[in-house]
Tab-separated table of all heavy atoms in Angstrom:
chain	number	residue	atom	x	y	z
N	379	ASP	N	13.062	89.561	13.852
N	379	ASP	CA	12.370	88.289	13.841
N	379	ASP	C	12.944	87.325	12.803
N	379	ASP	O	12.641	86.136	12.796
N	379	ASP	CB	10.852	88.446	13.662
N	379	ASP	CG	10.499	89.030	12.284
N	379	ASP	OD1	11.245	89.918	11.802
N	379	ASP	OD2	9.462	88.638	11.774
N	380	LYS	N	13.813	87.782	11.899
N	380	LYS	CA	14.433	86.960	10.875
N	380	LYS	C	15.861	86.532	11.267
N	380	LYS	O	16.472	85.734	10.559
N	380	LYS	CB	14.500	87.707	9.550
N	380	LYS	CG	13.194	88.176	9.020
N	380	LYS	CD	12.392	87.032	8.503
N	380	LYS	CE	11.155	87.545	7.783
N	380	LYS	NZ	10.367	86.497	7.252
N	381	TRP	N	16.391	87.036	12.375
N	381	TRP	CA	17.798	86.791	12.736
N	381	TRP	C	18.076	85.320	13.008
N	381	TRP	O	19.234	84.883	12.867
N	381	TRP	CB	18.211	87.619	13.946
N	381	TRP	CG	18.310	89.090	13.674
N	381	TRP	CD1	18.102	89.720	12.483
N	381	TRP	CD2	18.648	90.093	14.604
N	381	TRP	NE1	18.267	91.064	12.625
N	381	TRP	CE2	18.590	91.346	13.934
N	381	TRP	CE3	18.950	90.069	15.950
N	381	TRP	CZ2	18.872	92.531	14.545
N	381	TRP	CZ3	19.223	91.288	16.568
N	381	TRP	CH2	19.201	92.489	15.883
N	382	GLU	N	17.102	84.526	13.329
N	382	GLU	CA	17.301	83.104	13.641
N	382	GLU	C	17.151	82.244	12.385
N	382	GLU	O	17.354	81.027	12.475
N	382	GLU	CB	16.312	82.655	14.692
N	382	GLU	CG	16.551	83.292	16.051
N	382	GLU	CD	17.845	82.909	16.697
N	382	GLU	OE1	18.190	81.716	16.662
N	382	GLU	OE2	18.536	83.790	17.231
N	383	GLU	N	16.765	82.815	11.258
N	383	GLU	CA	16.577	82.054	10.040
N	383	GLU	C	17.914	81.843	9.328
N	383	GLU	O	18.816	82.680	9.403
N	383	GLU	CB	15.581	82.733	9.129
N	383	GLU	CG	14.202	82.769	9.726
N	383	GLU	CD	13.143	83.383	8.787
N	383	GLU	OE1	13.392	83.399	7.559
N	383	GLU	OE2	12.122	83.821	9.315
N	384	GLY	N	18.005	80.759	8.584
N	384	GLY	CA	19.248	80.451	7.859
N	384	GLY	C	20.411	80.300	8.817
N	384	GLY	O	20.266	79.736	9.895
N	385	PRO	N	21.559	80.860	8.436
N	385	PRO	CA	22.742	80.682	9.292
N	385	PRO	C	22.717	81.549	10.547
N	385	PRO	O	23.571	81.427	11.403
N	385	PRO	CB	23.891	81.116	8.366
N	385	PRO	CG	23.276	82.046	7.394
N	385	PRO	CD	21.867	81.530	7.192
N	386	GLY	N	21.706	82.410	10.729
N	386	GLY	CA	21.620	83.252	11.900
N	386	GLY	C	21.568	82.514	13.190
N	386	GLY	O	22.042	82.984	14.231
N	387	GLN	N	21.056	81.284	13.165
N	387	GLN	CA	20.988	80.479	14.355
N	387	GLN	C	22.337	79.989	14.809
N	387	GLN	O	22.495	79.511	15.946
N	387	GLN	CB	20.037	79.318	14.145
N	387	GLN	CG	20.433	78.427	12.981
N	387	GLN	CD	19.299	77.518	12.542
N	387	GLN	OE1	18.560	77.054	13.376
N	387	GLN	NE2	19.203	77.262	11.274
N	388	LEU	N	23.368	80.128	13.977
N	388	LEU	CA	24.717	79.661	14.325
N	388	LEU	C	25.515	80.666	15.141
N	388	LEU	O	26.531	80.289	15.722
N	388	LEU	CB	25.502	79.344	13.034
N	388	LEU	CG	24.864	78.304	12.124
N	388	LEU	CD1	25.696	78.198	10.831
N	388	LEU	CD2	24.778	76.968	12.821
N	389	ASP	N	25.102	81.909	15.168
N	389	ASP	CA	25.909	82.958	15.810
N	389	ASP	C	25.029	83.819	16.689
N	389	ASP	O	24.218	84.585	16.204
N	389	ASP	CB	26.584	83.791	14.710
N	389	ASP	CG	27.530	84.864	15.297
N	389	ASP	OD1	27.683	84.954	16.533
N	389	ASP	OD2	28.141	85.581	14.479
N	390	LYS	N	25.169	83.687	18.005
N	390	LYS	CA	24.370	84.440	18.934
N	390	LYS	C	25.070	85.696	19.460
N	390	LYS	O	24.504	86.433	20.229
N	390	LYS	CB	23.994	83.555	20.147
N	390	LYS	CG	23.389	82.227	19.773
N	390	LYS	CD	22.003	82.397	19.227
N	390	LYS	CE	21.374	81.037	19.013
N	390	LYS	NZ	20.456	80.960	17.953
N	391	VAL	N	26.325	85.913	19.096
N	391	VAL	CA	27.107	87.023	19.634
N	391	VAL	C	26.734	88.319	18.944
N	391	VAL	O	26.777	88.433	17.719
N	391	VAL	CB	28.629	86.747	19.446
N	391	VAL	CG1	29.456	87.921	19.967
N	391	VAL	CG2	29.002	85.457	20.118
N	392	GLY	N	26.353	89.329	19.726
N	392	GLY	CA	26.154	90.646	19.209
N	392	GLY	C	24.845	90.948	18.492
N	392	GLY	O	24.602	92.048	18.125
N	393	GLY	N	23.995	89.948	18.262
N	393	GLY	CA	22.731	90.197	17.574
N	393	GLY	C	22.940	90.505	16.077
N	393	GLY	O	24.014	90.927	15.684
N	394	GLY	N	21.932	90.234	15.298
N	394	GLY	CA	22.017	90.528	13.877
N	394	GLY	C	21.837	89.278	13.029
N	394	GLY	O	21.807	88.156	13.493
N	395	GLN	N	21.657	89.517	11.710
N	395	GLN	CA	21.505	88.438	10.746
N	395	GLN	C	22.871	88.089	10.144
N	395	GLN	O	23.596	88.975	9.701
N	395	GLN	CB	20.554	88.857	9.636
N	395	GLN	CG	20.423	87.877	8.495
N	395	GLN	CD	19.817	86.547	8.961
N	395	GLN	OE1	18.874	86.510	9.707
N	395	GLN	NE2	20.412	85.462	8.506
N	396	VAL	N	23.188	86.830	10.108
N	396	VAL	CA	24.458	86.334	9.567
N	396	VAL	C	24.309	86.059	8.070
N	396	VAL	O	23.270	85.554	7.648
N	396	VAL	CB	24.866	85.027	10.294
N	396	VAL	CG1	26.083	84.405	9.667
N	396	VAL	CG2	25.110	85.301	11.771
N	397	HIS	N	25.326	86.421	7.297
N	397	HIS	CA	25.352	86.125	5.877
N	397	HIS	C	26.700	85.489	5.561
N	397	HIS	O	27.733	85.972	6.021
N	397	HIS	CB	25.224	87.420	5.058
N	397	HIS	CG	23.963	88.182	5.297
N	397	HIS	ND1	22.850	88.006	4.534
N	397	HIS	CD2	23.669	89.128	6.200
N	397	HIS	CE1	21.900	88.795	4.984
N	397	HIS	NE2	22.376	89.487	6.013
N	398	PHE	N	26.665	84.438	4.738
N	398	PHE	CA	27.874	83.815	4.208
N	398	PHE	C	27.730	83.780	2.702
N	398	PHE	O	26.634	83.566	2.194
N	398	PHE	CB	28.001	82.360	4.685
N	398	PHE	CG	28.337	82.214	6.133
N	398	PHE	CD1	27.332	81.910	7.040
N	398	PHE	CD2	29.644	82.292	6.575
N	398	PHE	CE1	27.635	81.730	8.365
N	398	PHE	CE2	29.960	82.113	7.914
N	398	PHE	CZ	28.955	81.837	8.816
N	399	PHE	N	28.837	83.977	2.001
N	399	PHE	CA	28.806	83.767	0.559
N	399	PHE	C	30.176	83.269	0.121
N	399	PHE	O	31.181	83.544	0.773
N	399	PHE	CB	28.369	85.007	-0.222
N	399	PHE	CG	29.192	86.262	-0.012
N	399	PHE	CD1	30.257	86.550	-0.797
N	399	PHE	CD2	28.792	87.190	0.984
N	399	PHE	CE1	30.991	87.720	-0.637
N	399	PHE	CE2	29.534	88.349	1.159
N	399	PHE	CZ	30.628	88.627	0.350
N	400	PRO	N	30.222	82.485	-0.954
N	400	PRO	CA	31.496	81.959	-1.447
N	400	PRO	C	32.426	83.128	-1.806
N	400	PRO	O	31.983	84.166	-2.335
N	400	PRO	CB	31.150	81.148	-2.703
N	400	PRO	CG	29.678	81.025	-2.674
N	400	PRO	CD	29.105	82.067	-1.802
N	401	ALA	N	33.692	82.943	-1.572
N	401	ALA	CA	34.682	83.992	-1.884
N	401	ALA	C	34.966	84.007	-3.364
N	401	ALA	O	35.998	83.573	-3.836
N	401	ALA	CB	35.948	83.729	-1.067
N	402	ILE	N	33.983	84.529	-4.121
N	402	ILE	CA	34.084	84.569	-5.586
N	402	ILE	C	34.518	85.930	-6.075
N	402	ILE	O	34.393	86.251	-7.268
N	402	ILE	CB	32.766	84.132	-6.266
N	402	ILE	CG1	31.618	85.064	-5.822
N	402	ILE	CG2	32.451	82.678	-5.974
N	402	ILE	CD1	30.302	84.821	-6.564
N	403	ALA	N	35.003	86.756	-5.162
N	403	ALA	CA	35.465	88.099	-5.480
N	403	ALA	C	36.924	88.255	-4.991
N	403	ALA	O	37.441	87.387	-4.344
N	403	ALA	CB	34.563	89.148	-4.822
Side-chain angles (χ1 to χ4, degrees):
D379 64 324
K380 303 286 188 179
W381 291 358
E382 295 293 317
E383 294 183 21
Q387 57 196 324
L388 302 174
D389 184 359
K390 308 289 187 211
V391 179
Q395 175 63 44
V396 174
H397 300 267
F398 290 100
F399 57 91
I402 59 174

